[in-house]
Amino acid sequence: MNKKYQTAVGTDSWRIVVDRIVVNAAAAVSELAETCLAEWDQACAENLFTEAMIALWRKGANRLQHLFPHSNTTIKQYYLSRITPILGETVFHRRASEKPCGYSGDFLTMDMIYCGKPLPIGGSHPVSARVDSFILDTPVARACRNRHDWLVGELESHCGNGGRHVASLACGPCREIKTLLNLQRAPHDGQVFDLFDFDDVALEYARTLLEPDLKNGVQCNFYKVNLFKAALSRKPISNAGAFDLIYCTGFADYLDDRVLVRLLEGIYESLAPGGTLLLAQFLDRQDHPDRNAMEWCMNWDLIYRTEEQLNNVFSQVRWDGGVQIDKEPLGLIALCRTRKPK
């Protein structure tokens, strides 16, 4: 913690520091709401809005992280409680920060990111709707959409080359399969997707999303599995048979090294000889544009890793020839590919 504020935080005077940061952003939002809504398409409204959101989303969060680098959740929750009313009746931000499913990055939060818009609808107030649009166009949101596009390409190539049995771990909304099923070269007879999640509501959402597009003999099976427990057991992920491909693109960011290694061991045991694993991981970068904002403005904490740390994790499991690590175009997410020996 910044030495200047050690005493203040100890006596709860940190609230004054947080309030000062909030006031500037609140004033900008208020000015926008009161004077520019009638001119929403004009440059003055857009400039005011951008100024307000940068004050809240980046400058405020970065300033607080600098002052309180080792802050407890009390300070972060207080900041979040102060800015949420300012942002109004948002759809995406409220769901992401309030976590109605009890965890960060639930299926609907992620599907809003993949679709680039609030679901089912945006906020009723123009400012609230614009807040959601701003957050859903931040670099971290665009990186997630890049990850989705990479995964669709990998699935299309794999299924086109004869990979018939595919598993998705912590599957969430399964938006990538929805996209895949609507491609011109969509999977056909004999293609099986086994989809694993611990959230019943997520599985039902995915089922509803995918069923209209299930055709040409493609099969989707939905399994409720606690992957944390499955990882700790070091056993195969399921009894559904050996998989040609397993992908896990939004789960490693919540696992410490010990649990991630055990998950990788379970995946190894679940793959057929020569089978492929695809794994995505948010990278630990000092210049990450949205990390502080995610933590301070949405209480959304991830475990970030460097490429070296990822290589170290994979080296503890018996992968053939190590792991290939690429990055999505913004360089915020590592895209890992490795194979089990034949």
Side-chain angles (χ1 to χ4, degrees):
M1 182 181 299
N2 189 304
K3 292 182 179 180
K4 179 179 178 181
Y5 291 95
Q6 285 180 344
T7 303
V9 173
T11 59
D12 280 356
S13 317
W14 52 263
R15 295 174 189 272
I16 298 174
V17 178
V18 174
D19 287 343
R20 285 175 181 170
I21 292 174
V22 170
V23 163
N24 291 334
V29 173
S30 177
E31 181 180 2
L32 171 65
E34 292 177 5
T35 66
C36 289
L37 288 180
E39 306 173 13
W40 185 247
D41 291 331
Q42 297 188 14
C44 68
E46 187 64 26
N47 290 340
L48 273 175
F49 176 81
T50 301
E51 177 184 331
M53 285 305 300
I54 289 176
L56 275 171
W57 183 258
R58 290 210 175 89
K59 291 183 179 179
N62 291 344
R63 180 63 174 158
L64 287 166
Q65 183 64 27
H66 173 72
L67 295 175
F68 311 114
H70 306 295
S71 65
N72 57 36
T73 56
T74 300
I75 303 178
K76 290 181 177 178
Q77 288 175 348
Y78 180 73
Y79 181 65
L80 181 59
S81 72
R82 293 284 282 110
I83 68 170
T84 298
I86 297 172
L87 299 179
E89 295 299 319
T90 56
V91 175
F92 174 78
H93 177 267
R94 280 189 178 268
R95 186 175 185 95
S97 58
E98 293 177 358
K99 301 172 178 54
C101 292
Y103 59 94
S104 297
D106 67 64
F107 65 95
L108 189 53
T109 300
M110 294 310 302
D111 210 24
M112 292 189 218
I113 292 175
Y114 295 142
C115 294
K117 60 183 179 182
L119 298 172
I121 58 173
S124 58
H125 194 282
V127 173
S128 302
R130 189 63 184 85
V131 167
D132 279 337
S133 295
F134 176 92
I135 299 174
L136 288 167
D137 195 42
T138 53
V140 69
R142 284 184 272 125
C144 287
R145 290 193 285 276
N146 290 340
R147 180 183 66 188
H148 163 275
D149 295 344
W150 166 77
L151 183 55
V152 171
E154 289 288 329
L155 289 171
E156 181 183 19
S157 174
H158 183 84
C159 296
N161 290 323
R164 294 303 184 197
H165 200 186
V166 177
S168 172
L169 307 185
C171 66
C174 299
R175 178 60 61 175
E176 71 286 346
I177 298 179
K178 176 80 170 180
T179 303
L180 180 70
L181 294 175
N182 283 279
L183 294 178
Q184 185 174 359
R185 294 179 56 214
H188 47 77
D189 289 347
Q191 187 69 57
V192 178
F193 295 97
D194 286 346
L195 311 170
F196 299 87
D197 206 293
F198 81 100
D199 188 338
D200 284 319
V201 182
L203 291 170
E204 186 57 34
Y205 182 91
R207 187 193 308 275
T208 302
L209 185 70
L210 297 178
E211 281 186 344
D213 297 303
L214 289 179
K215 52 192 175 184
N216 299 327
V218 176
Q219 179 180 346
C220 287
N221 303 312
F222 301 86
Y223 298 98
K224 182 178 181 180
V225 174
N226 186 321
L227 290 169
F228 285 100
K229 291 183 179 179
L232 293 174
S233 73
R234 291 180 172 172
K235 295 179 180 179
I237 301 301
S238 79
N239 297 319
F243 296 98
D244 301 308
L245 171 70
I246 296 177
Y247 65 93
C248 181
T249 56
F251 190 46
D253 311 295
Y254 301 94
L255 306 178
D256 63 30
D257 285 0
R258 179 181 67 95
V259 178
L260 181 54
V261 167
R262 291 192 176 186
L263 176 67
L264 292 175
E265 290 173 343
I267 291 173
Y268 185 94
E269 296 299 329
S270 302
L271 281 170
T276 300
L277 165 65
L278 303 175
L279 182 138
Q281 165 74 58
F282 271 96
L283 287 166
D284 188 359
R285 288 178 34 170
Q286 291 185 345
D287 62 345
H288 195 298
D290 296 312
R291 178 172 178 171
N292 293 336
M294 288 179 67
E295 294 178 2
W296 284 90
C297 300
M298 294 194 295
N299 192 26
W300 195 337
D301 296 315
L302 300 175
I303 295 175
Y304 298 83
R305 291 181 172 91
T306 63
E307 290 186 53
E308 180 181 0
Q309 290 169 330
L310 275 171
N311 275 307
N312 180 60
V313 167
F314 274 96
S315 71
Q316 299 177 54
V317 189
R318 299 162 289 170
W319 298 106
D320 185 19
V323 57
Q324 176 185 338
I325 300 178
D326 298 314
K327 301 174 185 176
E328 50 75 35
L330 295 177
L332 298 180
I333 301 177
L335 309 172
C336 307
R337 183 188 297 103
T338 188
R339 296 184 66 183
K340 181 176 180 176
K342 292 185 178 180

